[in-house]
Amino acid sequence: MLCGSPIHCSLLAFVISTLVFQVPQGHSAPLTVTAPPGPITVAKGEDVLLPCRFSPGHNAQDTEVTWFREQFLPFVHRYKWGQDQFGEQMVQYQGRTELGKDGLAKGSADLRIFHVQPSDTGNYTCFVQRGSDYDDALVELKVTASGSAPLMALERYEHGGIRVACRSAGWYPRPRVLWHDPHGRHLPSLSENATQDKNGLFAAESSIILTRAGNQELSCSVQHLPHTAGQGSALYVSDPFFQDAHPWKIALSVALVAVVTLLIITVYLLKIKGKQQKEIGKQQKEIGKQQKEIEEQAKELAWRRHAVPIEAGNVVLDPDTAHCELVLSYNGKSVKRFDTRRNIPDTPERFYPWRCVLGREGFTSGRHYWEVEVEDAGGWAVGVSREDVRRKIDIEFKPEEGIWAVGNWAGHFQALTSPDRIPLPKIKVPKQIRVSLDYEMGRVSFFSVDEEIPIFAFPLASFGGKKVHPWVWLGPGTYLEICP
């Protein structure tokens, strides 16, 4: 079962905290939600049905269905207490969604979206809950738009030929412009460009040089992917158009006289200044070498200044705090999330329903760091947490709740700041990450061990004298190990 983003997990806690955690004795099977493995593709302006199946089926009055995108609230569509709920629906979906209620009793929670737009492209989560049991599944939607037929135009004489442009607008996603000769062979373009308008649609343009010795006949096609249907146009340029394609012939005789004169002068000057040029080149090479060494030293010093605190923390994960789907190694140095819930006591210290675990030892002073290595299958987040962090009721992963962390979910690497998260698109998602804590300064910072660069530093905070522990959240199938 996918937990989703940390916000998803926190909002599920609100739902679960209002219900009884123990499953009645008569419950025959856990709730399971499934969706098609591949993407759903639909043309712009059409209606689309996002499939979602759950089992076992049951009375629609007892079933709650919520469709959402990256975060639980606001949602795309919600059905609860036997009717649709529109109070916190996303603005862009208002009046455009419909849940197939007739199929709920048979295990169907399909969502219909009317008049889809390019902005509707993305991942949708189908979340189904009945009593204290719940599950979810992911559905990917791809919206396409086929634009206008390509317009081909002769622009100007260039490089001994004629520059030909091909333009088309109204596409989504970004299309490719392809050139072909009369035999269907691909021709390389001189340039290619695409722009996106306020409606999210792309206009594409490409150019090529057409020569009489080459292909006077060619075609242009615009399509989303090679070997898929698209729009095309063809063009043939007759011989008379090439008569003015070589204006350089008229000026060639005059230019040759000037070139010969300049060549004689250049040879003379090179003989006089040859030794000086050679010495200058040698000096410039030496200066460049020294500059490179200085830059490398500065880079190394910057990395060490930011990334090497005083004391390496010996982090061991605490099994008494681990969610029932997290399995720790015997030495507490690694953890993996499984779909199966272990039958262990639900103590006040244990996280539920969030798939989290704390380090056994906390810190109340000093500067510390530790490194973790992640095998990412379904998302992760690492950082620190105050000892008094809430573990059983509604919570968001942010400093106000006592959590300072960065993480990766659904392909988005980000810092879990408040009120909004900060995307980190320019930083490659690290496999090995360093967490640094300066308790007295109130600083929590993160570094990529893979690239030896800082990732993010939270604003200075006050921990109020409370103990601060290493903290981890894992998505489905993800494995994390504390590095030696």
Side-chain angles (χ1 to χ4, degrees):
M1 179 190 68
L2 293 174
C3 178
S5 70
I7 289 183
H8 179 191
C9 295
S10 66
L11 291 167
L12 293 183
F14 174 77
V15 175
I16 297 171
S17 64
T18 61
L19 303 168
V20 179
F21 284 94
Q22 299 298 327
V23 179
Q25 295 296 326
H27 197 277
S28 59
L31 184 66
T32 302
V33 179
T34 59
I40 305 298
T41 303
V42 64
K44 173 182 174 292
E46 299 290 332
D47 300 343
V48 66
L49 187 70
L50 302 184
C52 178
R53 300 291 182 270
F54 62 92
S55 64
H58 201 268
N59 188 342
Q61 193 73 21
D62 301 330
T63 303
E64 178 181 344
V65 179
T66 302
W67 282 87
F68 63 93
R69 296 190 68 172
E70 292 187 358
Q71 56 187 16
F72 196 82
L73 291 176
F75 50 76
V76 176
H77 193 99
R78 172 179 285 177
Y79 176 85
K80 187 176 182 181
W81 299 316
Q83 60 184 358
D84 295 316
Q85 308 290 326
F86 298 107
E88 296 182 81
Q89 188 178 33
M90 297 176 68
V91 175
Q92 71 182 86
Y93 294 99
Q94 291 179 2
R96 296 178 53 226
T97 61
E98 180 181 70
L99 186 72
K101 307 176 189 61
D102 294 341
L104 291 176
K106 301 177 182 179
S108 171
D110 300 346
L111 178 71
R112 186 177 300 277
I113 302 178
F114 301 99
H115 308 298
V116 295
Q117 301 299 316
S119 60
D120 296 331
T121 296
N123 292 330
Y124 292 74
T125 299
C126 175
F127 174 80
V128 181
Q129 178 177 343
R130 183 183 301 128
S132 62
D133 206 2
Y134 62 90
D135 197 9
D136 55 19
L138 200 66
V139 181
E140 182 182 2
L141 174 62
K142 291 185 177 181
V143 180
T144 63
S146 295
S148 60
L151 174 65
M152 300 179 68
L154 304 180
E155 292 195 323
R156 61 181 178 271
Y157 293 111
E158 187 174 328
H159 301 309
I162 302 174
R163 185 184 181 106
V164 183
C166 177
R167 303 182 180 92
S168 181
W171 294 84
Y172 190 87
R174 176 173 176 164
R176 290 192 60 192
V177 181
L178 302 176
W179 295 94
H180 298 278
D181 64 11
H183 305 288
R185 292 187 294 262
H186 175 68
L187 299 175
S189 63
L190 180 66
S191 65
E192 186 171 342
N193 183 43
T195 58
Q196 195 171 17
D197 62 22
K198 62 180 181 180
N199 297 320
L201 300 179
F202 286 92
E205 178 179 348
S206 179
S207 61
I208 195 171
I209 300 298
L210 189 63
T211 62
R212 178 161 47 190
N215 298 287
Q216 294 181 231
E217 182 179 353
L218 77 165
S219 62
C220 164
S221 64
V222 184
Q223 55 198 60
H224 292 122
L225 294 171
H227 312 299
T228 59
Q231 300 278 15
S233 295
L235 179 70
Y236 176 81
V237 180
S238 60
D239 288 343
F241 283 94
F242 293 95
Q243 292 180 0
D244 296 326
H246 302 282
W248 53 270
K249 292 180 179 180
I250 301 174
L252 180 59
S253 58
V254 178
L256 284 176
V257 176
V259 169
V260 172
T261 303
L262 290 174
L263 182 61
I264 295 172
I265 297 173
T266 302
V267 172
Y268 176 74
L269 293 175
L270 286 176
K271 286 182 178 181
I272 295 176
K273 299 184 178 180
K275 293 183 179 180
Q276 295 178 353
Q277 294 287 350
K278 185 176 181 180
E279 185 64 26
I280 292 174
K282 184 177 179 180
Q283 293 176 358
Q284 289 178 341
K285 185 177 181 180
E286 184 64 26
I287 292 173
K289 182 179 179 180
Q290 294 176 357
Q291 182 66 27
K292 184 177 181 181
E293 290 177 353
I294 292 173
E295 291 175 354
E296 291 179 352
Q297 291 174 0
K299 181 179 178 181
E300 177 67 17
L301 289 174
W303 161 248
R304 292 183 180 276
R305 182 174 67 252
H306 287 289
V308 184
I310 295 176
E311 183 179 352
N314 181 22
V315 175
V316 177
L317 300 176
D318 186 357
D320 292 337
T321 65
H323 183 276
C324 59
E325 291 182 8
L326 300 183
V327 178
L328 277 60
S329 63
Y330 73 96
N331 61 357
K333 289 290 187 178
S334 63
V335 57
K336 184 172 183 180
R337 176 177 166 182
F338 293 87
D339 291 333
T340 304
R341 302 177 186 176
R342 296 179 296 144
N343 186 17
I344 55 178
D346 185 17
T347 60
E349 296 80 11
R350 191 177 308 282
F351 283 94
Y352 190 89
W354 312 285
R355 279 69 174 176
C356 304
V357 60
L358 296 180
R360 180 176 296 168
E361 301 297 331
F363 307 103
T364 56
S365 63
R367 298 171 65 194
H368 312 271
Y369 78 93
W370 57 95
E371 295 176 358
V372 297
E373 187 170 344
V374 182
E375 294 181 5
D376 190 354
W380 54 269
V382 297
V384 301
S385 168
R386 285 201 314 264
E387 188 174 37
D388 61 348
V389 66
R390 297 183 292 178
R391 311 182 193 189
K392 300 295 185 183
I393 59 176
D394 185 28
I395 184 175
E396 295 184 28
F397 297 164
K398 60 183 182 181
E400 286 82 353
E401 295 285 0
I403 294 176
W404 293 260
V406 299
N408 186 48
W409 179 77
H412 299 288
F413 187 46
Q414 54 196 326
L416 306 185
T417 52
S418 176
D420 298 315
R421 297 175 181 173
I422 298 178
L424 305 171
K426 296 183 179 180
I427 299 177
K428 182 180 179 181
V429 180
K431 296 293 184 183
Q432 190 168 336
I433 187 170
R434 173 173 293 182
V435 184
S436 177
L437 168 68
D438 187 333
Y439 190 94
E440 282 78 6
M441 287 290 294
R443 180 179 297 280
V444 182
S445 51
F446 301 85
F447 309 88
S448 171
V449 180
D450 304 346
E451 302 187 41
E452 297 185 349
I453 59 173
I455 294 176
F456 184 80
F458 278 87
L460 299 183
S462 174
F463 302 124
K466 298 183 183 296
K467 189 173 292 187
V468 175
H469 292 259
W471 174 90
V472 171
W473 171 83
L474 294 183
T478 299
Y479 173 81
L480 180 145
E481 181 178 5
I482 308 297
C483 299

